[in-house]
Amino acid sequence: MTEIQNGWYLAAWSEEVGRTLTQRWIAGNPVCFYRLSDGTPVAIEDRCPHRRYPLTLGRLDGDVLECNYHGYRFDGTGRCVGVAEQRDTPRAQVLRYRLVERHGAVWIWPGDPSAADESQLPDLSWLDSEQWTGFHGVLPLKARHLLLVENLLDLSHETFLHPTTIGNRAVAATPIEVSTTDRVVSFTRHMVGIEAPPFYVHSMGLTSPVDRWQDGDFYPPGVFILNIRLAPTGTSEPEGYHMKVLYGLTPSVEGECHDFYAVSRDFKLDDADLTQYQHKQQLAVMREDVDALEAQELMVATSRGGAPESSIRSDLAALRARRMLERMRAAEAAAR
Amino acid sequence: MSADPAAGYACHVVWVPGGQDLRSTCSCGAARTVNDPAGTWDWFSDHLENEHAGGGSRDDRGDA
């Protein structure tokens, strides 16, 4: 399946892009990432226009990238500036992708650069705000993008996949409300007077009953933000403990994704032990999701149709997301 | 929640308390109650294509 090209995807955390040529596949495209000497991040197609050799196997000579096969040299815009010992410069240009670096994250628009609209990126200023603290990373996932989207937009799965950390019966038992526009699909799940799952008991020291809010926003094709509130039951905002989770859902090659995550909290800002605990738990939760989605991928990939698909009310946001993605994909197919 | 009516349209769907129905309301005032999630978006897609530009107010109960 052709991945959506005209949209922002999280390509890398800022510290992953440096003066070393680094390859990462994004939405079916091999991309060579590096920084110019002034710190500007660059993303170009990782194929030399001469004979398609990977440019990441080349080297940086100052701000000039030299292909290690026949010596083609390119500047930071992707323009060829010379070839080895030849006197003349061939007409050659490497495709350069639009990038935006904000709050410690590097975002890429793989499609038409003239269509790249930075206003479509949601506010992620909390990623490097002094009022928040947290951690981030990325995991490989051998499952198609849609399965990850549907996993995050139907969190009732927490009850079953994550019972020892963030899930309990209240998640699946609480109805969601869903809102949507042409750019975003959002859900709210407000659990009132419930038992706090173990992760939150340890993180916040809360005693049950608590109120737990899960408010999620999905910006197709690849950005999901979850706003979490835990508080003594019956209390109102701003009282309570808040967490924000960003997922960058970035297709890589066919049937695989980069599963980027960032988790931040607005309490116990200087508690390094808590950060370590939360990161370990986040990875345990994500490992459970990765295992489940990779098992699901095999079943989806080998399905010959079979029984008609069934959906329940907690699928509401995921079903909307699926249609938004289908519409984006169809628009790109029609434009080709 | 971030769904923004200024984007051109917005649809809000509520799981009606005490029942199995999903109540959908478009920013133009049109509303529909159905009892399955896929049917909710079938209605909304159809509404956007055929009714929404008129901005009329409808309140139908569907059987989807």
Side-chain angles (χ1 to χ4, degrees), chain A residues 25-26 29 40 102 117 127-128 183 231 236 250 272 284 294 296 316 323:
Chain A
W25 286 75
I26 307 285
N29 309 286
T40 304
R102 284 186 190 164
D117 177 2
L127 282 172
D128 58 0
R183 292 278 175 84
S236 303
T250 306
E294 291 184 351
Q296 183 188 12
L316 198 57
R323 292 187 186 212

Side-chain angles (χ1 to χ4, degrees), chain B residues 2 11-13 21-23 25 29-30 34 36 46 50 55 63:
Chain B
S2 300
C11 183
H12 186 64
V13 188
D21 289 339
L22 293 164
R23 174 75 172 172
T25 306
V34 299
D36 89 285
D46 182 66
N50 300 308
D63 300 315

Side-chain angles (χ1 to χ4, degrees), chain A residues 174-184 186-188 217 219 311-317 319-320 323 327, chain B residues 1-5 7-15 20-22 35-42 44-45:
Chain A
T174 304
I176 58 170
E177 292 188 19
V178 174
S179 288
T180 191
T181 69
D182 58 345
R183 292 278 175 84
V184 60
S186 305
F187 66 84
T188 61
D217 301 310
Y219 301 84
S311 295
I312 54 176
R313 286 164 193 81
S314 59
D315 292 310
L316 198 57
L319 287 169
R320 170 64 181 164
R323 292 187 186 212
R327 198 177 63 219
Chain B
M1 193 177 299
S2 300
D4 177 10
Y9 63 79
C11 183
H12 186 64
V13 188
V14 178
W15 186 344
Q20 302 304 312
D21 289 339
L22 293 164
N35 60 14
D36 89 285
T40 293
W41 302 122
D42 287 341
F44 189 54
S45 295

Side-chain angles (χ1 to χ4, degrees), chain A residues 43-81:
Chain A
I44 55 175
E45 184 180 20
D46 195 17
R47 291 186 177 103
C48 180
H50 175 225
R51 289 295 181 270
R52 311 301 174 196
Y53 193 72
L55 293 169
T56 45
L57 297 181
R59 66 185 189 91
L60 278 178
D61 178 10
D63 284 343
V64 171
L65 190 164
E66 184 176 86
C67 179
N68 205 36
Y69 196 10
H70 300 95
Y72 269 62
R73 293 163 63 84
F74 304 93
D75 68 12
T77 69
R79 186 173 58 95
C80 181
V81 293

Side-chain angles (χ1 to χ4, degrees), chain A residues 9-332:
Chain A
Y9 293 106
L10 214 172
W13 298 112
S14 287
E15 70 271 16
E16 294 182 299
V17 180
R19 293 288 289 167
T20 302
L21 302 173
T22 303
Q23 185 192 66
R24 183 164 273 167
W25 286 75
I26 307 285
N29 309 286
V31 183
C32 168
F33 291 95
Y34 63 98
R35 282 187 195 275
L36 300 177
S37 51
D38 68 0
T40 304
V42 174
I44 55 175
E45 184 180 20
D46 195 17
R47 291 186 177 103
C48 180
H50 175 225
R51 289 295 181 270
R52 311 301 174 196
Y53 193 72
L55 293 169
T56 45
L57 297 181
R59 66 185 189 91
L60 278 178
D61 178 10
D63 284 343
V64 171
L65 190 164
E66 184 176 86
C67 179
N68 205 36
Y69 196 10
H70 300 95
Y72 269 62
R73 293 163 63 84
F74 304 93
D75 68 12
T77 69
R79 186 173 58 95
C80 181
V81 293
V83 178
E85 306 307 320
Q86 287 189 198
R87 284 189 180 178
D88 57 334
T89 300
R91 291 177 60 183
Q93 175 81 34
V94 183
L95 180 63
R96 184 184 184 188
Y97 297 104
R98 277 286 299 274
L99 290 184
V100 173
E101 185 170 31
R102 284 186 190 164
H103 311 299
V106 179
W107 300 86
I108 190 169
W109 182 283
D112 176 6
S114 68
D117 177 2
E118 295 184 18
S119 72
Q120 289 182 20
L121 275 173
D123 174 25
L124 295 165
S125 56
W126 49 273
L127 282 172
D128 58 0
S129 162
E130 291 183 355
Q131 276 74 53
W132 295 82
T133 191
F135 52 88
H136 59 255
V138 58
L139 291 181
L141 171 66
K142 293 185 184 303
R144 68 193 66 190
H145 176 247
L146 181 62
L147 300 189
L148 183 54
V149 172
E150 294 184 337
N151 170 270
L152 291 167
L153 288 179
D154 178 10
L155 295 180
S156 70
H157 79 266
E158 291 181 358
T159 302
F160 307 97
L161 279 189
H162 313 304
T164 63
T165 51
I166 58 173
N168 59 18
R169 293 180 60 82
V171 184
T174 304
I176 58 170
E177 292 188 19
V178 174
S179 288
T180 191
T181 69
D182 58 345
R183 292 278 175 84
V184 60
V185 56
S186 305
F187 66 84
T188 61
R189 176 184 279 109
H190 289 190
M191 296 162 268
V192 177
I194 67 162
E195 183 180 350
F199 174 83
Y200 298 108
V201 171
H202 188 279
S203 293
M204 299 148 183
L206 284 168
T207 54
S208 299
V210 299
D211 293 346
R212 179 186 181 192
W213 295 1
Q214 290 177 322
D215 297 346
D217 301 310
F218 175 58
Y219 301 84
V223 187
F224 177 75
I225 300 168
L226 184 65
N227 294 285
I228 298 168
R229 173 181 179 258
L230 269 285
T233 190
T235 56
S236 303
E237 285 276 53
E239 185 170 348
Y241 301 87
H242 302 87
M243 296 183 65
K244 289 178 177 288
V245 187
L246 164 69
Y247 283 97
L249 301 74
T250 306
S252 52
V253 295
E254 179 86 24
E256 298 185 20
C257 291
H258 308 291
D259 192 356
F260 289 94
Y261 64 92
V263 180
S264 292
R265 63 179 190 272
D266 71 348
F267 55 95
K268 300 184 183 176
L269 298 181
D270 299 321
D271 190 337
D273 289 342
L274 179 58
T275 301
Q276 189 176 30
Y277 165 81
Q278 288 199 331
H279 202 164
K280 186 177 176 184
Q281 293 288 296
Q282 171 73 11
L283 288 172
V285 168
M286 290 184 72
R287 177 49 56 195
E288 290 169 339
D289 281 323
V290 166
D291 289 348
L293 295 180
E294 291 184 351
Q296 183 188 12
E297 172 62 36
L298 176 62
M299 294 304 134
V300 171
T302 57
S303 173
R304 297 177 182 173
E309 184 180 67
S310 171
S311 295
I312 54 176
R313 286 164 193 81
S314 59
D315 292 310
L316 198 57
L319 287 169
R320 170 64 181 164
R322 188 191 286 189
R323 292 187 186 212
M324 294 171 85
L325 292 168
E326 286 171 355
R327 198 177 63 219
M328 293 173 80
R329 190 171 281 111
E332 291 190 4

